[in-house]
Amino acid sequence: MKDFKNVMIFDHPLIRHKVAILRNKNTGMKEFRELIEEITTIMAYEVLKEVPTKEIEVETPLEKCMQTEIVEKSIALVPILRAGLGMVNGIHTLLPTAKVGHIGMYRDEVTMQPKEYYCKLPDGIEHMKVIVLDPMLATGGSASAAISYLEKIGCKDITLMSVIAAPVGVEKIASEHPNLKLFVSTLDRELNEHCYILPGLGDAGDRLYGTK
Ligand code: PRP
Ligand code: URA
C-alpha cells in the first residue's frame, strides 16, 4: 500500500496481542467488548496528542505553577452505529467530558453501499475536534459517507479511528479526505468477495452485541 502522510498504523506488541484474541472465533461477547475498549484506549494516547489545551494556574502544597488542561467541550466522539459504539468507553475512560454524536449506518448486503438511518450530533460540533469511531474499515464506504456529512456541515478537524482496516478502505479514506487523520490499530490483507476483511474478525457488530 502507498504511504499516506495522515495515516498512522500502530505497530505495538500489546495491540498485536489483543487483536489476536479479538480475531479468535471462540472469543466470547464479553471479552470481545472489553478488548475493543482496551485497544481503543491504547490508541487514544496517540490520537489525543493534539487535543486543544489551555494554561491554568495550580497551587501545589509548595507553590503556584502554570499547568495545562484539556479545553472542555472541545472534543466530540462520533461512533458509527452499531459497532463504533463499542469504542466510546475506551475514550470516555480517559476523557469523560467528550461529547458523543451518533451516526447510524449499515452496509446494504447486496450493493455494499452505506445507508444512513440515524444522525444526532452535539450542538456546535463544527467547532470541535471530531473523532469518528468505527472498528472496521473495509471498503471505506460507511466511514467515508459519515465523514463527508461531517465535512458538509462544517467540521474541519476530523480524525477516524479504526481497529482493523483493509488497504482498499485506507486508500479510499486517504484519497477522498486528504485533511483527515486516520489511526488504524492493525492493517489486514484484503477483502473477500462479500467485502469482509481477511483475516479480520468477522462481523464486529454481531460479535459485540450477540446478534448472530
Ligand atoms: C460494519 C462496520 C462498518 C462497516 C465497514 O457495519 O461496523 O461500519 O461495516 O464496512 P465498509 O468499510 O465496507 O463500509 P455494518 O454495516 O455491518 O453495520 P453494524 O455495525 O450495524 O453491524
Ligand atoms: N464489517 C465488519 O463488521 N467486518 C468486516 O470484515 C467488514 C465489514
Side-chain angles (χ1 to χ4, degrees), residues 10-21:
F10 283 74
D11 180 23
H12 195 292
L14 199 50
I15 288 183
R16 286 201 294 271
H17 176 86
K18 288 181 187 293
V19 167
I21 308 171

Side-chain angles (χ1 to χ4, degrees), residues 19-211:
V19 167
I21 308 171
L22 204 56
R23 290 190 196 281
N24 189 327
K25 65 178 186 180
N26 296 320
T27 297
M29 206 165 54
K30 176 173 182 287
E31 195 178 3
F32 190 91
R33 274 199 303 268
E34 288 167 355
L35 286 161
I36 290 280
E37 276 189 31
E38 287 168 9
I39 294 166
T40 305
T41 303
I42 297 167
M43 294 173 73
Y45 286 96
E46 194 62 35
V47 174
L48 297 175
K49 255 184 176 170
E50 289 173 19
V51 292
T53 56
K54 64 175 184 195
E55 293 268 298
I56 52 157
E57 189 180 83
V58 172
E59 194 168 353
T60 77
L62 302 173
E63 63 172 15
K64 287 183 179 165
C65 58
M66 295 310 288
Q67 297 288 293
T68 60
E69 73 174 16
I70 293 174
V71 178
E72 249 198 78
K73 300 187 184 148
S74 61
I75 295 167
L77 310 178
V78 179
I80 300 180
L81 308 181
R82 294 173 299 165
L85 268 186
M87 298 174 76
V88 172
N89 282 346
I91 299 190
H92 263 165
T93 300
L94 301 173
L95 208 57
T97 58
K99 308 255 178 194
V100 183
H102 298 85
I103 296 184
M105 198 79 89
Y106 70 91
R107 293 196 312 181
D108 182 288
E109 283 179 8
V110 179
T111 64
M112 291 300 152
Q113 292 306 303
K115 301 257 191 238
E116 188 191 313
Y117 61 89
Y118 185 77
C119 184
K120 177 81 182 164
L121 300 170
D123 287 346
I125 191 169
E126 63 278 14
H127 306 299
M128 299 180 191
K129 180 177 181 65
V130 178
I131 305 177
V132 178
L133 304 172
D134 195 330
M136 307 307 281
L137 183 63
T139 64
S142 307
S144 185
I147 293 159
S148 294
Y149 178 70
L150 292 165
E151 286 170 344
K152 195 171 100 195
I153 63 169
C155 297
K156 287 175 194 65
D157 182 356
I158 308 176
T159 296
L160 170 64
M161 284 175 78
S162 290
V163 174
I164 296 197
V168 67
V170 173
E171 281 167 14
K172 181 176 172 74
I173 296 296
S175 56
E176 292 182 3
H177 308 280
N179 295 325
L180 171 132
K181 288 172 219 79
L182 170 60
F183 292 83
V184 170
S185 107
T186 305
L187 183 68
D188 269 8
R189 198 176 68 240
E190 60 185 348
L191 298 180
N192 71 8
E193 65 279 19
H194 303 295
C195 292
Y196 273 84
I197 300 174
L198 295 175
L201 48 72
D203 188 298
D206 287 337
R207 293 197 64 186
L208 278 164
Y209 304 114
T211 36

